[in-house]
Amino acid sequence: MQWLDWIAVVIFILLWLGYDPLMGLVARRAGSLNADMLTVRAAWMHAMTHRQMRLVDSQLMGHTISSASFFASTNLLLIAAVASVLFGGETAMRGLIDVGSEVATIRLLEAKLALILVCLARGLLDFVWALRQLNYTVALIGAAPEIDHEGDREAYGQAVGRVLNPALGSFNRGVRGYYFALAAAAWLFGSVWLLLSIVSVIALLMWRQSASPAANAVRAARRLLDRN
């Protein structure tokens, strides 16, 4: 690889692995969508303990599990597609060059595909862990007893929320894996494209987390929940 390729890959890895700590700093200063959703989900689980019939909660959890399953299945198909090219031999690599990727050595093309594969594989692991935690959450909702004491209701709701929030946090990381895989795919067209793509992805994700209409709406809802 040339020196610009190395620089682009190092920056990619630093931004990829450093995204969560970076968003943690942003959330402490200006708030973020994911941080606000922690409060919203905690309020949801607290409200769940007050309902005798938890049909709505079951439907919402079923929708969430279906979404995670869909993304995990799609992720697996993408992994299979990239792996088939990566391990398909020189013929597959030459075909990749023919469809418009940067002219490069076979080893460099393998490194580019491997980076995409790693992004997708990490996302798949996040989706699998999210699904397991979501199933734990379903069991906790189903096992929720009829509680009369408000303190016990709040404690049980907080306990369920401590399972639900990490589950959806893993789901969010899995979805972000698609963004980083797309940025990694830009490396096929050259190191400059990789640099531009990873910077663009980070900027897009941070805008969606802190300044998008959805983030502003959830922040307003969270403030109302904080007052109640």
Side-chain angles (χ1 to χ4, degrees), residues 26-38:
V26 172
R28 282 198 291 270
R29 292 189 176 186
S32 71
L33 180 57
N34 285 345
D36 292 334
M37 285 302 298
L38 296 176

Side-chain angles (χ1 to χ4, degrees), residues 69-92:
S69 299
F70 169 78
F71 278 108
S73 300
T74 304
N75 194 301
L76 192 57
L77 292 174
L78 291 173
I79 288 174
V82 175
S84 67
V85 178
L86 179 60
F87 301 109
E90 185 173 347
T91 301

